[in-house]
Amino acid sequence: MKVQKIHQSSAVGGLECWGTAGLPGTPPMQISGLKKAVPGEECVDAGIFQITPGTYRRAVKQAEVMHILCGHGSFTPDGADTVTFTHGDTLFFEANTEGTWVVSETMRKVYVVLL
């Protein structure tokens, strides 16, 4: 199929459980999502990612583009200023960007990771 659609991606149900995240000594954050394959583009990982409130370290080493569908919080890159986000914001991460997420309200995003 040349065009794939996720109808109402900010509210779509049926996300798969992807496990937990969180810093040691903090309550676990629940991660869920939905991956979408782009035929012929195996160098792209894309879909919906959702995580409950808490604090965790960014684990993605590749460049990433994300659009926040709901939730709010902040990301502090190591050695750089904190960036706050809320629904409607789009963030661009360079490859090898490390830092700490603080999710204040359950965050759902559409993401594209360039592998």
Side-chain angles (χ1 to χ4, degrees):
M1 178 177 220
K2 293 190 183 263
V3 177
Q4 299 178 54
K5 177 181 178 180
I6 301 173
H7 183 71
Q8 298 299 313
S9 54
S10 62
V12 69
L15 301 182
E16 301 169 357
C17 177
W18 288 356
T20 60
L23 295 179
T26 65
M29 304 165 72
Q30 301 301 310
I31 304 171
S32 56
L34 174 68
K35 288 190 179 240
K36 295 304 281 185
V38 180
E41 295 296 331
E42 289 72 26
C43 61
V44 173
D45 176 17
I48 295 175
F49 173 94
Q50 180 170 291
I51 191 163
T52 58
T55 303
Y56 72 105
R57 293 282 298 169
R58 182 168 193 263
V60 176
K61 298 299 180 194
Q62 296 84 1
E64 180 178 10
V65 177
M66 64 184 69
H67 182 74
I68 309 300
L69 298 171
C70 60
H72 64 272
S74 64
F75 179 78
T76 305
D78 292 346
D81 294 336
T82 297
V83 176
T84 60
F85 65 86
T86 192
H87 61 89
D89 290 343
T90 303
L91 306 176
F92 300 83
F93 286 79
E94 293 179 10
N96 300 308
T97 300
E98 296 184 0
T100 303
W101 286 99
V102 176
V103 179
S104 304
E105 178 182 280
T106 296
M107 173 182 68
R108 181 180 284 204
K109 65 183 183 180
V110 172
Y111 71 91
V112 178
V113 175
L114 307 172
L115 303 174

